[in-house]
Amino acid sequence: MNTIIETNKTKLLSAMPAVKSYEARLASLNDWWGKIALIGKINSHNVASTILDDMNLTKSKFGELQQKLTYNLLVENLKKLVLDNSSKAQVAIDLLIRNLFERTADVGFLATDDDIRSFLISGNSDREGIDFIENRLREYVKKYSVYDEIIIFDTEGRVKAHLDNENPISHSTDPLIAETLKSSAEYTETFRYSELQSNKRHSLIYSCKITESNQQGSKAIGVLCLCFRFDDEMAGIFGDLLAADDDGTLMILGTDGKVIASSDEQLLPLQAAFANANPVSIASYKLREYIINTRQTKGYQGFFGLGWTGRMMTPLETAFKRNEAVDRGSAYTDIIDQASTFPQELKDIRKASSDINADLGLLVLNGQIASARKNAAEFMPVLEAIKQIGSDIANIFADSVNSLQEVTVMSSHLNNAGFLASLAVDIMDRNLYERANDCRWWALTSTFRHCLAQPEISVKDEQRMTDILQYINALYTIYTNLYLYDKSGRILAVSSSYERSLLGMQVDERSGAPAALRNSDSQSYSVSPFIRTPFYGNRYTYIYNASITHLASPDRVLGGIGIVFDSEPQFSSMLDEVLPRDEAGKLLEGCFAFFTDRNKMIIASANHPSLGAGDSLAIDDRFFAMRTGQRGSEVIQYNGVQYVLGMAVSKGYREYKTVDGYSNDVFAFVFIPF
């Protein structure tokens, strides 16, 4: 930071109108002081020269302090911008990586689908067989709407089935097919132009070889390719992170430093190259100076993707516009004065300027006494003028520091808290979107539908269903249990060996199962309220459900699937991830966060061990009256401590909680103490 300021001080100062204004006003007062002192020296020979010398010394002290003030104002304004922009760059890449982590599980699981295997093994390429498998893939994409194409190849690169009718592909020699067939990895991740989607400028493709069985060393019979809606996803992320009046540009860079996604392709087109990968830098681009923040992904569950980075670029000339969201005179000064987060150097500068001005007052008083003794009445106006200048200088020092507190620092705290709360509910919505997808897709498993259609379900069939549930649960460890129930609500199979006592029991009325049993639509799902449930050890969680229907008569419900989300560690982890940390990555002392419902009931907490799921959050009712998707922040007192409180209400993700009929507002509250 210091190096950037030292090498770009003139540029930065010209881009900070408030700091430049203070500096100009101080320079004018200093110049006026010098002129008045000169007049006094010429016209007041009767007064001891030491008085003017002492005043010049005081002027020099003010001058030294002015340099410190300017430097610290530059530092704090730049620090605020870097914090804001680094957060956006970090979140952009991390949200993307979180999403792509889910894709790595998707491709591996779908490649083991029995219907796809049977289709390839049979070699049946008649229209009926192709239509069946493509309809199955279409059902998949209706649920996992992050894909715009799925392609099934045989081992020779021939297309056996795919979804996109506008994609003319029938055969491919793209190297990713051979690479996938040779690979022993669980998936292959490819981002570039590909003939698999020749009508697109680039594709992000997750591929996995399809084998005859799950046995190790099983013969490869084809390749599955899931094509991710990369541009669509990035547009959503950029739209969430950038306000309408934001002058900055967000982008994702590939490992070669070239732009692969941009929030403003007119300014920053794809393939634009940047050599500098420093976390913070100032550089010229298209004849404009920009402050550039670059962040590496923190990864998710050990997954780091293809080594991409997030970057935020802000034009220097508009980077330090004053934020008027915080009003001057809003009584935040006293609060911030006590805050450890406000730099001590600026507090010291304000106090020093006040002390110097007090000393100047004594010098003026001495001068007035000396002038009276020597009948030097002509020196009195000079003393009064210098006294006024000293007072004006001290006021500028106080005003500049107070302004920084109330506008720059306070707005940074408030904006950051609201941003973190919004990020928390966004992460939750994105995560639970996947849970709604999972239950609906797994409900279409053909084996489940065959078994549940039998008049009597044999022990062998029960074991087949159990084996599949266990296989799924081993891949998707965020569930404590998956279970199947028949149309009467009797539990037939469970994935967890610790939950075998549930076999034969009736599903809980509040588990979400009754709604699933009433609805045969393959796009529908139901969710339990967030309540204590025996399916989660009498702890609080959500259970997602979908109906299992007859293969030949899809409007006939045979039973359902329930998937028990491991809410305690998952939700706490989401909240913990957004809590603010220092430069070393250590959690800021005293901060904590909650998810709640609209009735104040806590869904999850982070870093607050005395409150947990089911407890009530005792803050003002007005915070729970916010609209869906709304966010805000303010300073409140909670349990006798002052906090910056960030708050946000979930708004859903893609079709989840937006157009799918499911309504469940979740609030995030992030408490950051001063």
Side-chain angles (χ1 to χ4, degrees):
M1 185 79 72
N2 290 342
T3 302
I4 290 176
I5 291 174
E6 292 300 330
T7 55
N8 298 278
K9 186 174 180 181
T10 303
K11 292 179 184 177
L12 287 167
L13 188 59
S14 66
M16 297 181 187
V19 179
K20 195 174 180 181
S21 172
Y22 291 130
E23 193 174 61
R25 288 163 62 191
L26 288 169
S28 176
L29 287 170
N30 282 330
D31 184 52
W32 187 234
W33 185 331
K35 290 176 180 177
I36 291 174
L38 180 60
I39 292 170
K41 191 171 185 179
I42 293 171
N43 295 294
S44 305
H45 298 291
N46 293 336
V47 179
S49 62
T50 54
I51 292 177
L52 284 170
D53 290 341
D54 288 343
M55 287 184 176
N56 281 332
L57 180 61
T58 301
K59 180 173 176 286
S60 297
K61 289 181 180 177
F62 267 133
E64 292 174 7
L65 207 58
Q66 287 169 28
Q67 292 181 10
K68 290 183 180 178
L69 175 67
T70 299
Y71 181 80
N72 278 278
L73 290 176
L74 285 173
V75 168
E76 293 307 316
N77 277 281
L78 183 59
K79 191 183 292 183
K80 174 191 179 295
L81 181 75
V82 168
L83 173 65
D84 291 348
N85 286 358
S86 294
S87 294
K88 291 172 185 175
Q90 188 73 66
V91 171
I93 186 62
D94 285 343
L95 278 181
L96 177 61
I97 291 300
R98 265 183 168 270
N99 191 322
L100 300 186
F101 170 75
E102 297 276 358
R103 313 298 54 101
T104 65
D106 287 352
V107 70
F109 178 69
L110 189 57
T112 66
D113 185 82
D114 285 342
D115 290 327
I116 293 176
R117 279 175 167 162
S118 298
F119 171 70
L120 285 175
I121 291 170
S122 70
N124 184 3
S125 296
D126 62 25
R127 192 67 253 171
E128 184 179 356
I130 294 172
D131 285 347
F132 173 80
I133 209 69
E134 288 184 348
N135 284 334
R136 183 154 177 78
L137 298 181
R138 197 166 289 111
E139 282 285 353
Y140 189 82
V141 168
K142 282 166 65 177
K143 292 153 185 62
Y144 298 88
S145 58
V146 293
Y147 301 113
D148 57 9
E149 171 72 299
I150 300 178
I151 308 174
I152 299 172
F153 293 97
D154 65 16
T155 55
E156 301 300 319
R158 291 184 290 262
V159 174
K160 306 305 290 182
H162 76 114
L163 280 185
D164 185 0
N165 293 329
E166 296 182 4
N167 185 4
I169 189 169
S170 60
H171 181 272
S172 177
T173 57
D174 191 303
L176 77 83
I177 297 173
E179 181 185 345
T180 304
L181 287 168
K182 291 177 184 176
S183 176
S184 59
E186 294 178 351
Y187 63 89
T188 299
E189 187 177 16
T190 306
F191 181 80
R192 54 172 168 76
Y193 173 78
S194 171
E195 65 177 31
L196 271 62
Q197 291 184 294
S198 59
N199 56 344
K200 295 187 177 294
R201 55 188 180 175
H202 50 218
S203 296
L204 178 55
I205 301 170
Y206 288 84
S207 54
C208 181
K209 64 183 169 188
I210 305 168
T211 57
E212 287 184 335
S213 72
N214 292 340
Q215 297 298 316
Q216 190 172 5
S218 178
K219 179 184 175 183
I221 56 176
V223 171
L224 173 72
C225 294
L226 301 184
C227 302
F228 182 71
R229 298 173 67 189
F230 179 75
D231 289 347
D232 178 73
E233 176 65 13
M234 292 316 308
I237 290 176
F238 293 150
D240 285 342
L241 294 179
L242 294 176
D245 60 348
D246 201 319
D247 291 330
T249 303
L250 262 174
M251 70 202 82
I252 302 296
L253 303 182
T255 53
D256 57 1
K258 292 182 179 179
V259 176
I260 60 175
S262 169
S263 65
D264 184 352
E265 290 192 19
Q266 287 189 326
L267 174 67
L268 277 160
L270 301 192
Q271 298 303 306
F274 294 90
N276 192 339
N278 293 332
V280 184
S281 61
I282 295 177
S284 179
Y285 178 75
K286 291 187 177 179
L287 304 178
R288 293 178 80 185
E289 296 285 336
Y290 289 86
I291 294 180
I292 302 173
N293 298 89
T294 307
R295 304 294 291 182
Q296 304 286 335
T297 180
K298 292 181 289 189
Y300 182 66
Q301 303 286 325
F303 173 73
F304 290 85
L306 294 171
W308 299 338
T309 54
R311 176 169 286 186
M312 180 77 177
M313 270 178 52
T314 305
L316 190 57
E317 72 262 23
T318 59
F320 301 100
K321 293 184 299 186
R322 290 174 69 91
N323 187 330
E324 303 301 337
V326 179
D327 297 327
R328 294 300 311 275
S330 54
Y332 286 132
T333 300
D334 291 341
I335 298 172
I336 303 177
D337 263 343
Q338 303 168 29
S340 60
T341 53
F342 190 74
Q344 187 62 41
E345 295 91 337
L346 282 166
K347 295 179 185 177
D348 293 342
I349 288 171
R350 185 174 55 193
K351 184 179 185 304
S353 71
S354 179
D355 291 344
I356 292 171
N357 192 45
D359 291 343
L360 178 62
L362 291 175
L363 284 173
V364 168
L365 181 60
N366 286 336
Q368 289 171 335
I369 294 170
S371 298
R373 285 175 178 171
K374 297 192 176 185
N375 295 317
E378 72 279 0
F379 195 57
M380 292 294 190
V382 172
L383 292 171
E384 285 299 325
I386 290 177
K387 180 181 179 181
Q388 183 60 50
I389 289 171
S391 177
D392 289 345
I393 289 174
N395 287 338
I396 290 174
F397 274 82
D399 185 62
S400 63
V401 175
N402 291 346
S403 174
L404 184 77
Q405 286 179 323
E406 296 174 14
V407 178
T408 303
V409 173
M410 200 63 222
S411 69
S412 180
H413 281 300
L414 291 168
N415 289 341
N416 189 48
F419 176 75
L420 294 176
S422 179
L423 176 60
V425 288
D426 189 30
I427 290 173
M428 177 192 256
D429 280 341
R430 286 166 168 270
N431 189 297
L432 297 183
Y433 157 84
E434 303 286 350
R435 312 306 50 105
N437 298 342
D438 289 347
C439 70
R440 290 180 294 168
W441 176 247
W442 297 337
L444 294 179
T445 302
S446 293
T447 299
F448 296 161
R449 302 170 82 178
H450 281 301
C451 292
L452 289 178
Q454 304 304 314
E456 292 290 334
I457 300 174
S458 67
V459 173
K460 183 179 178 181
D461 283 343
E462 287 179 355
Q463 188 59 52
R464 287 173 65 197
M465 293 189 292
T466 298
D467 290 344
I468 294 172
L469 291 177
Q470 288 176 339
Y471 175 72
I472 297 172
N473 208 166
L475 287 174
Y476 297 81
T477 56
I478 56 173
Y479 302 108
T480 58
N481 192 27
L482 316 176
Y483 57 88
L484 298 180
Y485 45 91
D486 63 19
K487 61 184 178 183
S488 71
R490 184 172 63 93
I491 296 176
L492 305 174
V494 297
S495 65
S496 172
S497 58
Y498 301 104
E499 303 287 347
R500 292 187 62 79
S501 60
L502 297 176
L503 293 172
M505 290 177 55
Q506 292 293 121
V507 288
D508 191 298
E509 282 293 313
R510 302 192 69 191
S511 68
L517 291 172
R518 291 192 298 269
N519 196 333
S520 63
D521 183 357
S522 66
Q523 281 299 99
S524 294
Y525 63 93
S526 60
V527 190
S528 71
F530 190 76
I531 54 171
R532 290 186 185 275
T533 171
F535 298 121
Y536 192 55
N538 288 318
R539 295 171 293 160
Y540 287 87
T541 194
Y542 291 114
I543 301 174
Y544 282 73
N545 293 260
S547 62
I548 298 173
T549 60
H550 198 283
L551 269 170
S553 305
D555 57 346
R556 179 181 164 196
V557 176
L558 302 173
I561 183 170
I563 59 178
V564 184
F565 185 63
D566 195 2
S567 64
E568 282 188 359
Q570 295 297 325
F571 287 153
S572 292
S573 175
M574 294 174 200
L575 288 172
D576 183 74
E577 187 172 322
V578 304
L579 288 177
R581 284 167 167 75
D582 60 22
E583 293 179 0
K586 184 180 178 183
L587 192 67
L588 291 186
E589 186 176 352
C591 61
F592 50 90
F594 301 101
F595 284 133
T596 78
D597 65 14
R598 197 171 277 282
N599 296 316
K600 297 190 177 185
M601 189 185 84
I602 293 172
I603 292 171
S605 65
N607 206 38
H608 198 300
S610 63
L611 288 175
D615 294 328
S616 181
L617 181 58
I619 58 176
D620 197 285
D621 291 350
R622 62 191 172 85
F623 295 124
F624 299 90
M626 292 194 302
R627 301 183 305 276
T628 299
Q630 187 178 356
R631 88 181 198 192
S633 57
E634 64 179 77
V635 175
I636 71 164
Q637 191 169 78
Y638 179 73
N639 291 339
V641 178
Q642 293 279 4
Y643 292 91
V644 176
L645 174 64
M647 62 207 95
V649 190
S650 60
K651 63 179 185 296
Y653 172 65
R654 293 188 178 272
E655 63 276 8
Y656 177 70
K657 292 205 298 190
T658 58
V659 295
D660 63 2
Y662 178 47
S663 177
N664 181 37
D665 287 340
V666 173
F667 291 67
F669 295 98
V670 178
F671 290 74
I672 306 173
F674 278 152

